[in-house]
Amino acid sequence: MITEITMNKLDTREFIDKKAQEISSAVGNGTAINALSGGVDSSAVTMLGHKALGKKLKTYFIENGLMRKDEPRKIVNIFKKLGVEVEIIDAKDKFFAALKGITDPEEKREAITQTFYKDVFGKLVRESGARHLLQGTILTDIDETVAGIKRQHNVFEQLGIDPQESFGYKIIEPLVQLRKDGVRKVAQALGLPESIYDRMPFPGPALSARVIGEATPERIECVRLATSVVEDILKNVSAFQYMAILHHDRVTGMRNGKRDFGQQIEIRCWDSIDARTASPTQLSHDILQQLSQRILSEVPGVVSVTYHIATKPPSTMEAV
Ligand code: XMP
């Protein structure tokens, strides 16, 4: 049973010292590794691990081909400034090979989980000789997975999976008593910049969660371009999260006087406190028009742009 540390009970200094001590004594004279994705959870874990272990922690950024535009380079630079070396591992081909032909949401998640933990990361752990993996699982990941809503890619024990047995290493989860608001507070106290501690959530399966149907390199590139337009236009809107989604079905459009059976992009922008419930942000028509115009002109092959107006529930925030 995990005891939640709520915001009003969280003393960040005390939390950081305690967790750093726990990490340090669990790892002992050995080494640990972790994967940084640039999200607030894995960033906080990287800083905590760095504080506890220094050079005994090796941090990797797994370039899975599913990240947002320029993401690996941007994140590695932020950490470099904080004195933390991060190595980028190019595993794009492995992830796309694993995703090939898969359209079912849970099968996509499973393909990413297996590729990440067994193939790419498992190999790095085996080669490094590290016995511990630091991971930024938070309480909400566990709740949602146990409730069977969505299998979060980083939850094992609660599903009866022993990482030691399945992958050959122990997983340390220092943030597991916190929810997102607590993690943000800890991340700030750890000295991370606002662009990280106040960062909008982004799903573990990355852009593959934003492509309905098969996540091919071409379809991911399409949603990546649309995402960068959406993030640019909505950056000053105070919403909980916004995203672009590529639909599976194509629709009839026209371009240069000819029929163009093209792609559909759906935009979602959410107001929410804790991601458990959410409602669509009331964007002005002017903003909606800017979104449509730029996506139609900057994302090749798109002939339809829609705005999602359903609430969560029954919708979820991500489409996949
Ligand atoms: P959903 O789509 O479940 O998203 O309403 C709730 C919040 O969790 C973020 N998130 C994920 N969603 N798979 C998901 O479907 C994941 O692995 C994942 N990781 C994080 C999502 O972006 C939203 O903020």
Side-chain angles (χ1 to χ4, degrees), residues 109 144 150 152-153 201 203-205 241 275 312 316-318 320:
R109 285 203 174 78
E144 291 202 340
K150 277 186 187 176
Q152 300 289 339
H153 68 291
Q241 195 173 11
K312 172 182 179 173
T316 56
M317 295 176 80
E318 305 286 347
V320 168

